[in-house]
Amino acid sequence: WQAPLAALGEVLAEFGTRGTSATVILSNHFVRYAVVPWRDGIANRKEQMALASHCFKNVYGDRAGDWDIRVSDDGFRRNALACAVDRELLTRLDKLFAGRKVRLASVQPYFMTACNRFRKELKSHQSGCIALLERGRAALGIFDQAGWQALAVRRIGDPGMDALAPVLAQELNSTNLATPPEHLFVAAIEDPRLDFASRGWSTRVLKLNA
């Protein structure tokens, strides 16, 4: 993340007037995600954070101790989604904005931003899969009535049908859901021009720049 941070610093030097605020949206290249299962014995937010930390350490080992972890609030008896970002990256962002005309209002992972943007559309369906496309990557989140079931960030070449379809199939097979999700949401800044009709998907494209 050093090179993108340096590029951001150059932009900030010429951008904005004093009092301007900015939100930094982090590419999924710089974020790790984990599903935090619901546990009846979790009594408060602190215990939920401890469970989220445990989920990351199970997958990534001791290096997860260097990450800043946040957990979404997905409701009672529903699995939540946690994201982890290198703590040093956040520290460097704070230093970069300190003393600038532009105030750093918040830092948001790209996938979480998209889910918040289209929360109403996602909640209108009991199950589904959202594929968030960015250059070279697809973040695939699968949810049902119990909340999030899986989230994976996968490298893809051209974000077209031939590249995305097999990745979707692999993720859906790995979740072992009793009932596969019926709806697919494809979120992207540019029109992905995907044709899923012939593959049995009920698909909706969500434009992030709309």
Side-chain angles (χ1 to χ4, degrees):
W1 42 260
Q2 287 83 356
L5 208 62
L8 176 60
E10 293 177 2
V11 172
L12 286 176
E14 303 177 359
F15 179 81
T17 58
R18 189 162 300 279
T20 301
S21 62
T23 295
V24 173
I25 299 176
L26 293 177
S27 163
N28 289 317
H29 177 73
F30 306 119
V31 186
R32 286 90 168 178
Y33 297 97
V35 172
V36 182
W38 174 266
R39 294 286 186 268
D40 288 337
I42 299 297
N44 51 48
R45 190 69 172 175
K46 182 178 179 179
E47 292 181 357
Q48 187 186 44
M49 290 296 296
L51 177 59
S53 178
H54 177 73
C55 291
F56 280 109
K57 287 182 177 179
N58 272 348
V59 177
Y60 298 101
D62 291 341
R63 61 178 176 153
D66 296 327
W67 300 341
D68 186 83
I69 297 172
R70 305 291 172 87
V71 184
S72 64
D73 183 4
D74 289 274
F76 186 68
R77 292 193 180 279
R78 289 174 59 84
N79 301 336
L81 187 63
C83 62
V85 178
D86 188 339
R87 195 173 290 115
E88 178 63 20
L89 170 56
L90 298 177
T91 299
R92 292 279 298 276
L93 273 171
D94 284 336
K95 291 181 178 179
L96 187 64
F97 277 86
R100 304 272 183 171
K101 293 179 180 179
V102 183
R103 179 180 63 85
L104 179 59
S106 66
V107 180
Q108 302 176 10
Y110 194 21
F111 187 81
M112 308 297 258
T113 299
C115 289
N116 288 334
R117 169 81 178 273
F118 303 114
R119 183 180 296 274
K120 183 180 294 186
E121 287 86 344
L122 298 180
K123 284 196 170 185
S124 66
H125 298 84
Q126 292 185 345
S127 67
C129 175
I130 176 170
L132 175 61
L133 306 183
E134 59 180 313
R135 184 174 298 178
R137 284 176 178 76
L140 307 170
I142 300 168
F143 64 91
D144 61 15
Q145 290 175 297
W148 292 102
Q149 295 299 323
L151 197 151
V153 179
R154 300 283 296 273
R155 291 181 180 272
I156 59 173
D158 175 36
M161 187 63 201
D162 291 340
L164 188 55
V167 171
L168 277 170
Q170 291 170 14
E171 293 304 321
L172 289 170
N173 289 336
S174 68
T175 58
N176 295 318
L177 295 176
T179 303
E182 297 179 355
H183 304 278
L184 172 65
F185 302 91
V186 180
I189 292 178
E190 298 179 353
D191 187 353
R193 297 185 177 86
L194 300 174
D195 178 14
F196 286 90
S198 62
R199 307 194 182 217
W201 286 98
S202 171
T203 309
R204 181 174 179 185
V205 174
L206 307 174
K207 295 298 292 296
L208 284 163
N209 61 346

